[in-house]
């Protein structure tokens, strides 16, 4: 069983994952307002993924006999200047989340809390995907600029993204 200190940080992570969902929804709203429905879809799906992450922490804490807590969220930034800004902020945010997962993992390892270590391994792998995906899109957006046929085609491609919860 994890310590109260680790439980507190696991509960903080529910908050950060839900904040991530709201942050990406705010980005989705910006893209939708600019007529970039594919980019908007990408961020709506991203928000669904973040809520799924929050629920993984919620269920894990409860399964372990701890008590999940739902804490207050800060308001995300709602005004953006460009797609490049959005993907720069998204990548920075994912790096922050990776730092959070590493902090949790360090604490779990200090406590030799093997169930929590096993649980967190999924998130370690997930963050590699998240950072790589955001880096890829940031580079594409930088290359293509904010308008033109390239962005139009990327928008069409991102319209196809759907959320499928992983089996495990
Ligand atoms: Mg997440």
């Amino acid at each position: 069983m994890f310590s109260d200190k680790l439980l507190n940080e696991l509960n903080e992570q529910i908050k950060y994952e839900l904040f991530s969902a709201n942050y990406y929804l705010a980005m989705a709203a910006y893209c939708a307002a600019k007529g970039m429905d594919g980019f908007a879809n990408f961020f709506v799906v991203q928000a669904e993924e973040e809520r799924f992450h929050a629920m993984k922490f919620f269920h894990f804490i409860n399964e372990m006999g701890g008590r999940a807590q739902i804490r207050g969220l800060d308001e995300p930034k709602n005004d953006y200047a460009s797609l490049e800004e959005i993907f720069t902020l998204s990548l920075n945010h994912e790096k922050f989340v990776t730092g959070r997962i590493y902090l949790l993992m360090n604490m779990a390892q200090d406590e030799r809390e093997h169930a929590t270590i096993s649980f967190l391994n999924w998130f370690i792998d997930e963050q590699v995907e998240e950072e790589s995906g955001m880096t890829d899109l940031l580079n594409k957006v930088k290359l293509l600029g904010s308008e033109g046929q390239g962005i139009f085609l990327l928008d069409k491609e991102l319209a196809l993204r759907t959320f499928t919860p992983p089996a495990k």
Side-chain angles (χ1 to χ4, degrees):
M1 182 62 183
F2 36 62
S3 67
D4 286 349
K5 198 174 129 208
L6 180 49
L7 171 60
N8 179 58
E9 291 300 334
L10 290 166
N11 271 316
E12 281 291 286
Q13 196 62 30
I14 294 179
K15 182 184 80 179
Y16 286 119
E17 300 292 346
L18 291 175
F19 173 81
S20 300
N22 286 355
Y23 200 9
Y24 291 131
L25 268 187
M27 294 180 186
Y30 167 85
C31 295
K34 293 283 174 191
M36 293 178 290
D37 292 340
F39 284 94
N41 176 65
F42 171 85
F43 282 110
V44 166
V45 171
Q46 188 68 26
E48 285 172 0
E49 247 190 56
E50 300 303 346
R51 278 192 293 272
F52 173 76
H53 294 166
M55 290 311 294
K56 276 182 85 84
F57 280 95
F58 177 88
H59 291 306
F60 176 71
I61 291 168
N62 291 339
E63 272 171 23
M64 290 286 286
R67 181 166 173 176
Q69 284 185 342
I70 304 306
R71 299 176 175 173
L73 304 181
D74 291 336
E75 184 177 314
K77 179 177 164 69
N78 274 289
D79 295 322
Y80 303 98
S82 64
L83 285 175
E84 186 173 333
E85 185 190 17
I86 280 187
F87 283 105
T88 301
L89 292 172
S90 296
L91 178 58
N92 288 345
H93 184 66
E94 288 304 330
K95 286 179 177 172
F96 165 77
V97 173
T98 300
R100 283 285 317 169
I101 300 295
Y102 281 21
L103 175 135
L104 291 170
M105 183 60 105
N106 290 343
M107 289 176 75
Q109 286 176 339
D110 287 347
E111 294 185 15
R112 295 194 164 84
E113 223 312 290
H114 293 282
T116 305
I117 291 168
S118 174
F119 170 75
L120 289 171
N121 270 323
W122 185 91
F123 283 92
I124 299 275
D125 295 341
E126 174 69 8
Q127 284 310 117
V128 175
E129 296 289 316
E130 298 282 43
E131 286 194 29
S132 147
M134 289 301 182
T135 301
D136 183 47
L137 283 168
L138 174 60
N139 288 339
K140 281 188 175 139
V141 163
K142 276 184 177 166
L143 196 70
L144 297 171
S146 59
E147 45 201 67
Q149 202 184 4
I151 285 290
F152 175 77
L153 290 174
L154 185 54
D155 189 65
K156 280 186 85 160
E157 185 187 318
L158 295 178
L160 302 175
R161 187 186 187 195
T162 55
F163 176 65
T164 314
K168 183 67 189 157

